[in-house]
Amino acid sequence: MSAINRFNASIELQHIYLEVYSERYCHLRTFLESYYCYQHGLVTKQGKPDWVQIFNVGLRTVAATHIKERKLLVREMMVPLSVMMGHLKALVRDDEATIDNIQAVIDEYLEYVIMTREEYKALVGAGLKEAMPASYYQPLHEDYRCMNARFDVAGITLLRL
């Protein structure tokens, strides 16, 4: 990562810290996307975050592997924003909301999946657009803290590289 991208990612992380610490989560998606773009070098020629490039680097589903036309695809967070916010809210609750701890949560959970529109409809139809399946929260279940559990439940297969 270039020095300027590292600097800009640091600024976005500070924005995220301020929003989380102030318990204001309405703009979190925008800051997370910008942070992700800077972290992965997905920037325009002017050095601004370019979310469209996420389609080129995101983890793909098997069905989306050979589709090149972006309009036929959807990008979705691996772990829904609401779940990530839950992890961040736990940091605030436990008085552990430091920049390093917030960055650790983001770096662990922030990943994008590129899927077809049909797969997206299946995810929504399964009620998993903004939620993880119950098994994600059950320590004795094999899906406990498994980031792709909601895709497995919806019958969406991720391409493993």
Side-chain angles (χ1 to χ4, degrees):
M1 173 174 22
S2 72
I4 190 69
N5 284 347
R6 194 170 20 260
F7 174 76
N8 286 327
S10 174
I11 288 174
E12 294 303 328
L13 186 58
Q14 290 174 37
H15 283 136
I16 294 166
Y17 168 77
L18 291 171
E19 293 295 310
V20 168
Y21 191 78
S22 300
E23 298 186 49
R24 296 184 314 216
Y25 299 95
C26 60
H27 299 293
L28 198 56
R29 183 180 300 271
T30 303
F31 294 128
L32 288 170
E33 271 186 7
S34 295
Y35 175 80
Y36 183 87
C37 287
Y38 287 126
Q39 282 288 91
H40 293 86
L42 310 177
V43 295
T44 65
K45 291 178 183 175
Q46 292 77 29
K48 303 294 182 199
D50 187 4
W51 64 266
V52 174
Q53 289 186 43
I54 293 173
F55 284 95
N56 300 329
V57 299
L59 184 64
R60 288 189 175 253
T61 63
V62 171
T65 303
H66 300 292
I67 298 174
K68 300 294 181 204
E69 190 173 341
R70 186 180 64 79
K71 293 186 180 195
L72 300 175
L73 301 171
V74 176
R75 68 184 160 88
E76 181 68 23
M77 290 176 145
M78 175 73 84
V79 174
L81 180 61
S82 59
V83 174
M84 190 177 304
M85 283 177 18
H87 291 294
L88 295 171
K89 287 177 180 180
L91 291 177
V92 173
R93 178 197 66 212
D94 299 340
D95 199 27
E96 296 177 357
T98 64
I99 288 180
D100 290 337
N101 288 343
I102 290 171
Q103 183 177 14
V105 168
I106 294 169
D107 290 347
E108 182 176 352
Y109 295 105
L110 184 59
E111 187 62 56
Y112 286 91
V113 174
I114 310 304
M115 65 182 80
T116 64
R117 292 191 177 276
E118 292 77 24
E119 290 173 319
Y120 180 75
K121 288 178 187 172
L123 192 67
V124 171
L128 298 172
K129 181 184 178 333
E130 285 296 326
M132 292 298 273
S135 58
Y136 176 82
Y137 301 99
Q138 298 167 347
L140 299 178
H141 198 280
E142 65 184 18
D143 286 342
Y144 179 66
R145 300 288 178 155
C146 178
M147 291 191 354
N148 60 331
R150 71 184 180 136
F151 298 102
D152 293 343
V153 169
I156 299 169
T157 306
L158 300 178
L159 183 65
R160 293 291 171 203
L161 300 176

